[in-house]
Amino acid sequence: MTTDAATGAANTAVRRSRLAAHGFDGGFASPQAALDRLLCVQAQDLAAAKWVLGARVPGSDEAMIDAAIDDASLLRSWPMRGTLHFVVPGLLRPILRLTAARLMQRAAKGHRDEGIDDEVHAAARRVAVGELEGGHSITRDGLQAAWSRAGIPTEGQRGYHLIWRLANEGLLCCGPVDTRARQRFVLLDEWSPASSDEPDDEQTLALLFAGYARGHGPVSVRDFAWWTGLTLTSARTALAAAGDSVAAYDEERYVAVDAPPPLAADRSTRLALAPFDEYFLGYGDRTAVCSADDAARVVPGKNGLFLPILVADGEVVGTWRRSPERRGATPIEVSSFGPADVGEQFRPAFERWGAFWSTRVGEVTASA
């Protein structure tokens, strides 16, 4: 077998294992079960994150995700990489103990530039507690208005930085759904009370590495470091702490010992996934599922904004976007990475997406 052929066969095997790890071998019974497998799901775009979970739960719709958010089964905050994620509720505080100090250190200069010193932070914290304690919730605009009334400026990015800082220290989190794309803020301790048996730091590292391998595997230590935003040293500690809950897949990658079997070779899959879906986003090295040239087309501006992706048998083969609704249906425009127009091959996947959002899918066309 030539080197290229061997690499291709290895990538095919990795894709089949990852499809199963992500739940595309049949799906999960609930959004909570999907999150339990994935542990953390990037959720800076709330609507996109709903579909990340919905794509893994057959028959689900937006209302099912919203209900899980509103009963605090899906907790959304800033646990990793300074970015919003859905996170398993019992892991938010333990993860913040590992990540927050480093994130705060990296953000320190920006906070100084915005004039957010200890005095401003303490005042903003007092106002937030006063607005929220007793089970209350508030919108982002409402919280910033309360700060302004208290003489705390929120112009530019100051308001966002204050919210981010209070969330990273475990005071605030996102609470009930407000609109399709927004949640209201609440006090974390009231919305999702701490457990008396939370894991310590070493246990958290072990849970994170084993869980990451279970929901994303095969994965490398470098993948884990990128995903969590931790140092390589901490990532190696996490691998050691995971012990015999993970096993070597090849020279660099690992899988959970209780990982589901890979998708069968004769099982064909066509998936229309969200921007920021963990299947593509959740790795430092994405070459097993997408070439470097095609990966650049998923993030065309190199600005951190990911396009929705099309996945055929585990390989990212294009991007897609919805067009404004016309005559009661939502048209879809597909940009294929290959020479062929693959749009109609994905119609069942688009129909599933449409059912989730309660919209009828219209014409599927290739981009110009």
Side-chain angles (χ1 to χ4, degrees):
M1 183 181 292
T2 66
T3 300
D4 286 348
T7 299
N11 285 342
T12 297
V14 168
R15 292 195 288 265
R16 289 174 184 154
S17 292
R18 286 185 179 172
L19 285 169
H22 279 265
F24 296 124
D25 56 351
F28 301 101
S30 67
Q32 298 92 320
L35 187 60
D36 283 346
R37 172 72 67 82
L38 295 173
L39 291 188
C40 287
V41 169
Q42 184 160 318
Q44 67 191 69
D45 181 328
L46 178 58
K50 291 179 185 181
W51 176 234
V52 171
L53 295 174
R56 291 160 170 80
V57 182
S60 62
D61 58 15
E62 183 185 16
M64 181 184 291
I65 308 296
D66 285 350
I69 292 172
D70 285 344
D71 72 13
S73 297
L74 307 177
L75 194 55
R76 186 166 170 253
S77 190
W78 285 264
M80 303 192 310
R81 303 197 306 275
T83 301
L84 279 159
H85 285 73
F86 281 133
V87 57
V88 172
L91 284 178
L92 175 57
R93 291 177 184 82
I95 292 173
L96 286 175
R97 286 200 300 269
L98 295 174
T99 62
R102 189 163 185 248
L103 289 170
M104 292 288 194
Q105 184 178 38
R106 290 170 60 184
K109 182 181 183 304
H111 289 174
R112 287 196 301 271
D113 291 346
E114 293 286 350
I116 300 174
D117 57 20
D118 289 345
E119 183 178 351
V120 170
H121 163 249
R125 183 184 177 96
R126 286 194 298 271
V127 172
V129 170
E131 291 289 325
L132 294 172
E133 63 184 350
H136 297 291
S137 66
I138 197 169
T139 65
R140 175 175 171 173
D141 289 345
L143 182 55
Q144 293 191 107
W147 283 332
S148 294
R149 290 193 299 271
I152 303 169
T154 60
E155 293 82 2
Q157 292 296 305
R158 283 172 60 94
Y160 173 81
H161 283 298
L162 285 168
I163 291 169
W164 182 88
R165 181 166 174 172
L166 294 176
N168 268 268
E169 64 186 37
L171 181 75
L172 303 180
C173 69
C174 299
V177 173
D178 186 52
T179 67
R180 171 164 287 183
R182 291 188 179 182
Q183 292 169 257
R184 299 171 69 86
F185 289 106
V186 292
L187 293 176
L188 174 60
D189 284 345
E190 292 185 349
W191 184 254
S192 183
S195 169
S196 60
D197 59 350
E198 285 184 349
D200 62 25
D201 288 356
E202 183 175 358
Q203 291 169 330
T204 301
L205 285 170
L207 289 169
L208 276 176
F209 196 95
Y212 178 58
R214 186 176 300 110
H216 293 71
V219 294
S220 70
V221 170
R222 288 186 178 276
D223 286 328
F224 178 80
W226 183 89
W227 185 68
T228 57
L230 295 171
T231 64
L232 270 174
T233 297
S234 293
R236 294 185 183 106
T237 300
L239 170 61
D244 59 8
S245 63
V246 297
Y249 175 82
D250 56 22
E251 291 182 356
E252 293 187 355
R253 290 174 288 207
Y254 298 85
V255 293
V257 295
D258 58 351
L263 217 64
D266 61 354
R267 172 88 176 271
S268 181
T269 58
R270 296 290 185 273
L271 305 168
L273 301 183
F276 308 107
D277 192 284
E278 288 288 317
Y279 185 77
F280 178 82
L281 174 79
Y283 305 87
D285 180 357
R286 298 164 184 143
T287 53
V289 302
C290 191
S291 72
D293 287 344
D294 289 342
R297 298 170 71 178
V298 177
V299 196
K302 297 184 178 180
N303 55 4
L305 296 179
F306 289 59
L307 298 179
I309 56 173
L310 299 174
V311 177
D313 299 329
E315 183 178 6
V316 179
V317 298
T319 61
W320 64 281
R321 67 184 182 93
R322 62 180 297 171
S323 297
E325 187 174 301
R326 296 199 299 267
R327 295 186 294 276
T330 301
I332 302 291
E333 187 176 288
V334 168
S335 178
S336 173
F337 294 163
D341 176 8
V342 300
E344 281 302 320
Q345 298 177 22
F346 285 86
R347 179 166 283 277
F350 292 134
E351 297 285 357
R352 170 70 194 100
W353 169 86
F356 179 85
W357 292 112
S358 302
T359 188
R360 183 168 63 85
V361 174
E363 185 179 12
V364 178
T365 59
S367 62

